[in-house]
Amino acid sequence: AVGGDNKRFVSIACVNIVVAANAGGAFSPFGDITTLMVWQKGIVEFSQFFVLFVPSVVNYIVPAVIMYFFLPNEMPVAHDEEVELKRGAKRIILLFLLTIVTAVVGHSVLHLPPVFGMMTGLAYLQFFGYYLRRTLPKSLESKRKRAKDKEQLEKLNQVVPFNFFNHVERAEWDTLMFFYGVVMCVGGLGFLGYLGVLSDIVYTQWNPTYANFAVGIVSAVLDNIPVMFAVLTMQPDMVLGQWLLVTLTAGVGGSLLSVGSAAGVALMGQAKGQYTFFSHLKWTPVIFLGYVASVLVHLWLNSGTFQ
């Protein structure tokens, strides 16, 4: 949207977006699947995740500052396109916030798994979607009476009823089945005892800090979801600071490679030819500096959680 045909700008911007997306999700229970898994397991409380905010910011800032000096010195062409919010947009934002409140309160007060709160939020959206569909004809008729020109009438005639299931139908089921298969395989390895042996080697013979640092590197290759699931299946005996560290490293470690996170994979599909595996790979050393810096900041800033 901003870079247009400037492939160099778009490539750097996409790398920056991937780092930002993964760093932004590392300090929130809802920010990433890995943090949600740790929270749902009951290992880390909701409010304790936010001590990772500063390390996550550092993880983004370090590579962003370095990449800034390699941006082409050009001004993009301004667009005069007017963006109009669709009917019910602001209310859906409020429903999203209500979903978070429902999940947090349900887990903290009623001791329900967070998934119940999230599914209740989906019910909020479905009920509101039904309301939007039922009241659409009346709303369109009212807007047609207030229309000032033919262009507005043409836009009203192109309005499509809100239907959440249309988006569900376009879900990448192959990707979902891939993660399901990986989780089943990890569960099988845990049942057979291999993860117990690996946990004894990694978390007993190694220093837990080094082990959790390595987990982030591995997550860049194997994806952070199966890696975190494996760690949770191992159930190593660690203090709060170490669990926060592995949450951070598994979340931001995926930024090292374009295939290390869902954000990178999705962007490769959206920006074909402009953002590729190798265009991301050449910035991996810079991203690694941010990875190391975020770990060091966590060890220093949250040293009290390691006791």
Side-chain angles (χ1 to χ4, degrees):
V2 177
D5 296 328
N6 192 328
K7 291 186 178 181
R8 184 183 174 190
F9 177 88
V10 172
S11 176
I12 297 177
C14 286
V15 175
N16 184 256
I17 288 171
V18 171
V19 176
N22 291 327
F27 67 89
S28 169
F30 297 99
D32 198 357
I33 299 297
T34 53
T35 56
L36 186 62
M37 291 166 65
V38 175
W39 179 45
Q40 189 166 350
K41 197 75 173 179
I43 298 173
V44 181
E45 297 296 330
F46 182 84
S47 59
Q48 293 172 330
F49 282 98
F50 295 102
V51 300
L52 295 175
F53 176 75
V54 175
S56 299
V57 172
V58 171
N59 178 267
Y60 166 74
I61 288 294
V62 171
V65 169
I66 297 175
M67 286 189 285
Y68 169 79
F69 294 101
F70 292 88
L71 286 174
N73 188 19
E74 301 175 7
M75 289 292 292
V77 179
H79 295 278
D80 56 357
E81 179 184 0
E82 293 185 6
V83 179
E84 182 181 357
L85 291 176
K86 294 184 179 180
R87 177 171 172 258
K90 294 180 180 179
R91 284 170 285 182
I92 289 179
I93 293 175
L94 293 177
L95 289 179
F96 167 70
L97 298 176
L98 180 61
T99 300
I100 295 178
V101 172
T102 303
V104 173
V105 173
H107 182 68
S108 303
V109 180
L110 302 178
H111 305 291
L112 295 173
V115 65
F116 281 92
M118 302 303 288
M119 294 304 294
T120 303
L122 181 61
Y124 296 156
L125 183 61
Q126 294 288 36
F127 280 119
F128 185 64
Y130 176 76
Y131 166 79
L132 289 177
R133 290 193 297 272
R134 294 285 294 180
T135 58
L136 180 61
K138 184 178 179 180
S139 174
L140 289 177
E141 185 62 29
S142 175
K143 290 181 179 179
R144 287 192 182 99
K145 293 179 180 179
R146 300 195 305 267
K148 298 179 181 179
D149 50 43
K150 292 183 179 180
E151 184 178 351
Q152 289 184 348
L153 286 172
E154 185 65 24
K155 287 183 179 180
L156 292 174
N157 293 331
Q158 296 176 355
V159 173
V160 178
F162 178 84
N163 189 350
F164 177 75
F165 285 107
N166 289 339
H167 299 281
V168 176
E169 290 173 358
R170 292 197 293 269
E172 297 182 5
W173 294 103
D174 292 342
T175 303
L176 295 177
M177 292 302 295
F178 163 75
F179 283 119
Y180 176 75
V182 170
V183 169
M184 289 293 290
C185 290
V186 172
L189 291 173
F191 178 78
L192 294 173
Y194 287 103
L195 288 184
V197 175
L198 182 62
S199 176
D200 180 66
I201 296 174
V202 175
Y203 284 101
T204 302
Q205 300 181 24
W206 293 13
N207 184 298
T209 301
Y210 297 149
N212 291 330
F213 186 88
V215 164
I217 306 298
V218 174
S219 71
V221 181
L222 300 181
D223 195 90
N224 56 359
I225 296 176
V227 170
M228 179 55 75
F229 183 76
V231 173
L232 292 174
T233 304
M234 294 176 189
Q235 277 289 341
D237 185 16
M238 297 191 298
V239 296
L240 175 61
Q242 293 292 352
W243 278 109
L244 289 171
L245 177 61
V246 73
T247 301
L248 174 69
T249 56
V252 303
S255 302
L256 295 171
L257 297 176
S258 63
V259 296
S261 64
V265 174
L267 270 181
M268 282 195 296
Q270 292 292 325
K272 293 180 180 178
Q274 296 176 305
Y275 172 67
T276 63
F277 176 83
F278 290 104
S279 68
H280 187 108
L281 185 63
K282 67 181 181 181
W283 292 103
T284 295
V286 174
I287 300 171
F288 183 71
L289 290 177
Y291 177 77
V292 173
S294 64
V295 171
L296 293 177
V297 169
H298 171 62
L299 294 175
W300 167 65
L301 197 64
N302 303 319
S303 58
T305 60
F306 288 85
Q307 299 175 359

